[in-house]
Amino acid sequence: MFYRESGVFKTSYAADTALMPLPNTRIGAALAGVIFLAVLPMVFGEYGMSICNLILIAIVGAIGLNILVGYTDQVSLGHGAFMSVGAYAAANLVVRMDMPFWVAIPAGGVMAAFIGTLVGIPSLRIKGLYLAITTLAAQLIIEWTINHVPAISGGAQSTILMPPPEVFGVVLKFQWQIYFFLMVFVIIAMVGAANLIRSRIGRAFIAIRDQDIAAEIIGINIARYKLYAFAISSFYAGVAGVLYTYYLGIANYEQFQLTVSIDFLAMIIIGGLGSPLGPVFGAIFVTLLPILVRRFLETFGGYFMDYSTLAATIPSLRLAIFGSLIIFFLVVEPEGLNRLWRKVRNYFRTWPFSY
Amino acid sequence: MGDHHVSMPADILPHLTVDAVEKRFGGVVAVDNISLAIRRGEIRSIIGPNGAGKTSLLNTISGFYRPEKGSIRFEGHDITHARPSEIAERGIARTFQNIALFAGMTVLDNLMLGRHVHMRAGVLASFVYWGMAQREELAHRIRVEEILDFLELQDIRKQFTSALPYGMRKRVELGRALALEPKLMLLDEPMGGMNQGEKEDMARFVQDVNQKFGTTIVLIEHDMAVVMDISDSVTVLDRGRKIAEGTPDEVQRNPAVIEAYLGAGHQAGAAA
Ligand SMILES: Nc1ncnc2c1ncn2[C@@H]1O[C@H](COP(=O)(O)OP(=O)(O)OP(=O)(O)O)[C@@H](O)[C@H]1O
Ligand SMILES: [Mg+2]
């Protein structure tokens, strides 16, 4: 997406700025399209598709966080809370006012963007650890507020039942239907983010990340652009929160707690900060890993521990694994899985000639 | 030589007015009661020994430092307390003594960033891209290519600036400043650390910019030959104060200037 190559000559500036400048990329994208749109839904059953759906929702959220953390170099531990803002905003609209999904989803995004922008205001003064702590505080305050204000949370157990989305008169009940529904938003989210990054707004984000003094001197209003980054990032979070609510069939604040914020940070760090495909790899990895670990332990764990130890181990093991992976990727491989992917890709770019 | 300015009316308002500006750092008075009147279209050099306050003065003009006293006016607007980004929007561009390029980006992207204040695409237009943002992107790309041609940077447009030799990076930084289409350029030692050939190229580019676009230029430079060659007027600073001002010839013959430079030379000699 963002690499160029000799031997492929551009004849216009438009071709030079295209999203996928190389024929190989376009072939790859077409191949991915066939796999994700035709092959996967044919080979997987309901359970397989439900995991794919979790991944798709995670991709939307991770792309958003990557814009804030990867491209603008701000930090947020409130991504989970911004998802919950979107989730409850949408659930209230749907349940109380009978709104269709195409109103509920953007509305959830806008509401989250509004709250996210407010939470981003301290970033104008502070950075790094201090910003992490203010966003952590925001996460906890939002959790508490939703849980304690029945007008938002619907009262009973802070849970609102969410009817499945209805598209052209069809109520989406099966996981494969939800899959195609989610895929539309994933594609919009990915293309939109790539567009942002290759144009004026995204360049300004990267400028702030790389050299904030120089960014100011060429006329970038740093305060304004930091808030844009918070707004865009939490808009994505809000949309992901609504999608998750449709997927689960309920809005519930426990689904959006601090661990979720940390999972999203893990995704973008493991996937590769500030790379277009990093959030995708990270979302796949972080979603699948606990499921595979659980599978493994449930199958083989019985040999070396009893069942109750096992049940207690799995959640903490998950955190331990993510913790170690975050440290590993931050220290050893800051470019994340995306770099692995680049190596594979570079190999195939010249294939079958290895020079 | 800048003699094309001679025909300008003498009573025209200064392009940039610095009025009795003071900037302190603790006990150090980096800029001590300095006033300047920079004419539109001139090349003004600011010289002085190390630590004289030249960079501090530019930082005050471009909004990075808030002066304790005094005021700064540009094209009739008070910019004393404006943010750096507002000052850029008004048409003042700047390069840095120690180069502040976006190292992880190509030369092209650095210059496209220089176009920032002239571009309009907001968040939504950028997100959608096809349409307004793309049209704008291509239009400004053409302007950037013109600047790349002008500064003879076409061959390296796709290179990352971190991979470029020092002299080239200085030229790219000039290009990024030029992309802003500034009315006033503040250049902090654009020839610092360059070899003779690179210096000559840079001096030529500075003069070309001044003549072709009529850009007013404030230039900090240590190389006296270059200063005397391209400046319309010269301001000399020493220990935060302005000690002399005038045409290159006048300044060169000024006893206070000779004293400041010889004094510094003696100290350097004694320290060595
Ligand atoms: N941010 C700062 N904090 C503290 N002191 C500063 C700061 N900036 C400049 N100074 C001090 O102000 C004085 C002037 O420094 P300045 O960098 O403006 O000099 P200069 O003329 O640009 O020197 P050079 O030729 O070495 O670049 C010096 O004594 C310097 O130590
Ligand atoms: Mg200096």
Side-chain angles (χ1 to χ4, degrees):
Chain A
M1 203 172 281
F2 295 108
Y3 54 95
R4 316 282 185 226
E5 188 157 76
S6 59
V8 182
F9 295 104
K10 320 302 188 309
T11 48
S12 73
Y13 296 145
D16 199 21
T17 51
L19 269 187
M20 300 182 208
L22 304 183
N24 277 359
T25 319
R26 288 193 286 273
I27 294 169
L31 213 66
V34 171
I35 291 174
F36 289 119
L37 294 177
V39 179
L40 281 191
M42 284 198 312
V43 297
F44 283 146
E46 278 291 281
Y47 176 69
M49 287 323 282
S50 78
I51 291 173
C52 291
N53 287 343
L54 277 178
I55 292 176
L56 293 185
I57 295 163
I59 289 175
V60 174
I63 291 174
L65 192 61
N66 191 39
I67 289 174
L68 182 72
V69 182
Y71 287 109
T72 321
D73 200 22
Q74 305 299 299
V75 71
S76 171
L77 282 168
H79 215 58
F82 301 147
M83 289 176 77
S84 70
V85 171
Y88 279 94
N92 278 302
L93 281 174
V94 170
V95 172
R96 294 179 196 216
M97 300 163 84
D98 210 18
M99 286 292 170
F101 74 89
W102 50 267
V103 174
I105 289 174
V110 167
M111 192 66 202
F114 174 71
I115 300 291
T117 310
L118 292 183
V119 172
I121 288 175
S123 74
L124 310 185
R125 283 294 169 89
I126 56 179
K127 23 180 134 178
L129 183 60
Y130 299 99
L131 184 60
I133 290 177
T134 54
T135 55
L136 170 65
Q139 164 82 34
L140 301 177
I141 292 168
I142 293 169
E143 270 179 35
W144 189 91
T145 311
I146 289 178
N147 194 21
H148 287 81
V149 180
I152 304 173
S153 63
Q157 275 98 45
S158 303
T159 298
I160 303 177
L161 288 178
M162 183 84 155
E166 189 184 315
V167 183
F168 300 126
V170 182
V171 177
L172 307 185
K173 280 185 294 235
F174 300 106
Q175 290 294 336
W176 67 266
Q177 293 172 315
I178 302 275
Y179 178 81
F180 285 106
F181 177 72
L182 293 176
M183 191 55 96
V184 173
F185 294 97
V186 168
I187 290 170
I188 296 174
M190 282 185 72
V191 173
N195 283 344
L196 268 177
I197 293 308
R198 66 172 163 159
S199 48
R200 176 171 181 262
I201 303 284
R203 266 197 306 267
F205 289 160
I206 300 173
I208 291 171
R209 177 190 72 188
D210 288 354
Q211 250 288 357
D212 52 350
I213 300 236
E216 269 192 287
I217 207 69
I218 55 174
I220 295 170
N221 182 334
I222 295 194
R224 175 181 306 157
Y225 279 82
K226 280 183 180 173
L227 293 184
Y228 281 165
F230 268 96
I232 294 167
S233 165
S234 37
F235 182 88
Y236 272 85
V239 169
V242 186
L243 295 176
Y244 194 47
T245 304
Y246 273 126
Y247 167 87
L248 283 179
I250 54 166
N252 180 298
Y253 83 99
E254 285 177 14
Q255 305 298 326
F256 304 109
Q257 284 175 325
L258 181 60
T259 48
V260 174
S261 296
I262 294 172
D263 284 355
F264 274 101
L265 278 175
M267 285 178 211
I268 60 171
I269 291 169
I270 292 170
L273 285 173
S275 66
L277 288 180
V280 178
F281 298 132
I284 295 173
F285 189 88
V286 169
T287 311
L288 285 185
L289 189 72
I291 296 171
L292 296 179
V293 168
R294 178 182 289 267
R295 270 278 166 104
F296 176 84
L297 283 180
E298 278 167 1
T299 315
F300 301 105
Y303 295 114
F304 43 89
M305 53 181 111
D306 59 55
Y307 185 76
S308 59
T309 329
L310 193 66
T313 309
I314 290 175
S316 43
L317 194 65
R318 188 181 110 87
L319 275 182
I321 291 176
F322 284 152
S324 346
L325 281 173
I326 289 179
I327 294 172
F328 171 81
F329 277 103
L330 281 180
V331 176
V332 182
E333 188 50 85
E335 290 175 66
L337 293 175
N338 190 56
R339 190 179 142 97
L340 214 69
W341 156 248
R342 275 215 308 273
K343 282 187 188 148
V344 174
R345 187 192 67 195
N346 286 344
Y347 175 78
F348 281 106
R349 255 154 106 190
T350 48
W351 190 82
F353 312 105
S354 56
Y355 50 86
Chain B
M1 294 309 105
D3 35 11
H4 53 288
H5 299 300
V6 170
S7 59
M8 287 184 72
D11 60 347
I12 196 164
L13 273 176
H15 202 191
L16 177 80
T17 313
V18 174
D19 188 20
V21 162
E22 179 178 311
K23 177 68 207 165
R24 295 170 168 273
F25 295 102
V28 181
V29 190
V31 179
D32 189 354
N33 193 30
I34 287 186
S35 299
L36 298 173
I38 313 281
R39 276 184 297 119
R40 189 181 286 272
E42 79 166 317
I43 297 182
R44 167 74 61 99
S45 285
I46 297 182
I47 63 170
N50 292 122
K54 306 180 293 294
T55 299
S56 300
L57 179 61
L58 284 208
N59 282 345
T60 314
I61 296 170
S62 51
F64 284 114
Y65 292 166
R66 302 214 141 191
E68 271 81 41
K69 284 183 198 150
S71 68
I72 301 165
R73 295 180 74 77
F74 175 65
E75 299 194 331
H77 300 279
D78 187 339
I79 58 164
T80 318
H81 299 291
R83 280 193 308 269
S85 60
E86 289 172 312
I87 287 170
E89 278 170 20
R90 291 213 178 275
I92 301 182
R94 159 90 191 264
T95 67
F96 293 88
Q97 189 167 351
N98 43 9
I99 308 183
L101 283 173
F102 304 108
M105 293 186 206
T106 62
V107 171
L108 194 60
D109 282 336
N110 269 274
L111 266 66
M112 284 301 283
L113 267 162
R115 300 292 302 164
H116 182 85
V117 300
H118 296 292
M119 296 173 81
R120 291 281 84 86
V123 172
L124 261 184
S126 295
F127 187 91
V128 175
Y129 191 75
W130 293 281
M132 188 261 182
Q134 185 180 35
R135 270 198 311 277
E136 181 177 72
E137 204 65 19
L138 299 181
H140 288 266
R141 174 70 185 271
I142 291 169
R143 289 292 297 122
V144 162
E145 293 287 343
E146 285 166 9
I147 295 166
L148 290 172
D149 281 350
F150 178 72
L151 293 178
E152 296 158 26
L153 291 167
Q154 312 94 320
D155 298 346
I156 57 162
R157 58 152 88 73
K158 291 288 174 68
Q159 290 193 26
F160 288 95
T161 56
S162 52
L164 297 175
Y166 189 82
M168 267 305 170
R169 278 188 279 158
K170 287 246 162 191
R171 199 190 292 181
V172 174
E173 208 190 12
L174 179 72
R176 190 183 64 194
L178 206 51
L180 201 137
E181 291 178 30
K183 295 173 219 155
L184 168 65
M185 275 221 272
L186 311 172
L187 306 175
D188 196 346
E189 302 198 22
M191 296 139 209
M194 286 185 164
N195 65 36
Q196 197 54 38
E198 290 173 326
K199 272 186 192 176
E200 278 164 18
D201 283 344
M202 183 55 90
R204 177 167 55 86
F205 287 131
V206 170
Q207 279 184 301
D208 281 355
V209 168
N210 174 251
Q211 271 161 32
K212 201 169 161 205
F213 309 114
T215 314
T216 310
I217 288 173
V218 174
L219 172 81
I220 296 177
E221 188 45 55
H222 280 296
D223 188 313
M224 280 311 137
V226 173
V227 168
M228 298 307 155
D229 198 28
I230 70 174
S231 316
D232 296 302
S233 59
V234 179
T235 299
V236 189
L237 305 188
D238 186 24
R239 276 169 264 176
R241 296 223 178 90
K242 179 160 101 177
I243 58 168
E245 193 166 80
T247 65
D249 279 343
E250 288 164 2
V251 163
Q252 242 170 338
R253 283 185 267 106
N254 187 313
V257 177
I258 295 164
E259 166 60 26
Y261 271 86
L262 275 183
H266 280 308
Q267 273 162 18

